[in-house]
Amino acid sequence: MASLEQKRTTRAILVGIILITVAAAVIVVSLNTGTIRLSPSSIWRTLLGGGSFDEQLILFEYRMPRIIITLLAGIGLGISGAVLQGVSRNSLADPGILGIHAGAALGLIMFVSFFRNMEGPTALLIPMFTFAGGAVISILIFMLAYDRFKGMIPIRLILVGIAVEAGVSALTLFLSLRLDEDTYSFAARWLAGSVWGREWVNVWALLPWIVLLVPIVYLRSRSLDLFALGDETAAGVGSHVTRNRVIMLALAVALSCASVSMAGGIGFIGLIAPHIARRLAGPQHRHFLPIAALIGLVILVTADTVGRSIFQPNAIPAGVVVAAIGGPYFLYLLLSTKPNSRRNS
């Protein structure tokens, strides 16, 4: 048993080192991507305090904030997806599919309706509004999907999430049509998954949510392992099932809503990253949660880089690039888990 645990730990560490190397390479490529190209040597020189005024302006004022936003948001989305799959015991759970991102979008529309200003210190309030919207919708979804005799029914959770997401998206669209032209243009880009956080204030708005909540999730990862055993078994070994489920759900909603508040309505990362991480690092959450975070980081930074580089000077939203991969992957998972879903229903 100890030997197996040691092997899993060693495997997770090796996978983590490989993913960190890949992430570093992707970030370097992203720093060099844009209408004005910077060579790796000029990037390194500028990072060390050298470089020309133009190189420093491009790197530190335009590219670095955006890359850090995608880096943090990818981590948040990867972790939140893993938590939601663990809490619901549903391998198809994802913040976008379950409608949580639709709630975040509603919160964002409420924000721009009141403030109509997304720059400067006001941007620090955006994650709070998106979290409030996502929290209300997630509570509604989990209440409708919960059965007092059977507990959380996985297939009902997906169906309720899709239904609520459709209704909330319609309401969000209706409210967005009442905005002025510039604000509506921003809302449309956000809904398409275009990374809009390109200033340092956006980084400071997102950074505390990721830095504070990700370690809390990791420290409570044992409760996610217990959820996989079933509520009765988890309660039998001393776990406070309901309390832990509410806490982990709140953490997942906060991470996903804060992430999309600055990165745009990007879906499927919370679905893909945990699945790949689980295959690479094993079933224990303390092993694959860091891997899911790194995979989410790599996917989002790569998607944003690809979107900015293929059709220059017109950029493709990162959400579109992720959806091109995530959509087929979701259909594959849906078809492969169909028999199990029937038994659970």
Side-chain angles (χ1 to χ4, degrees), residues 218-238:
Y218 185 78
L219 292 174
R220 301 184 66 91
S221 60
R222 183 175 178 273
S223 63
L224 295 174
D225 293 329
L226 295 177
F227 284 142
L229 303 176
D231 290 359
E232 293 183 0
T233 304
V237 297

Side-chain angles (χ1 to χ4, degrees), residues 164 172 180 248 334 343:
V164 172
T172 301
D180 59 78
M248 299 306 292
L334 185 64
R343 285 195 295 269

Side-chain angles (χ1 to χ4, degrees), residues 2 17 46 55 95 103 128 175 209 262 278 280 284 290 337-339:
I17 292 173
T46 306
E55 290 174 337
M128 298 181 185
L175 293 176
W209 295 74
M262 295 299 161
R278 198 175 289 109
L280 292 176
Q284 288 186 314
T337 58
K338 191 173 182 180

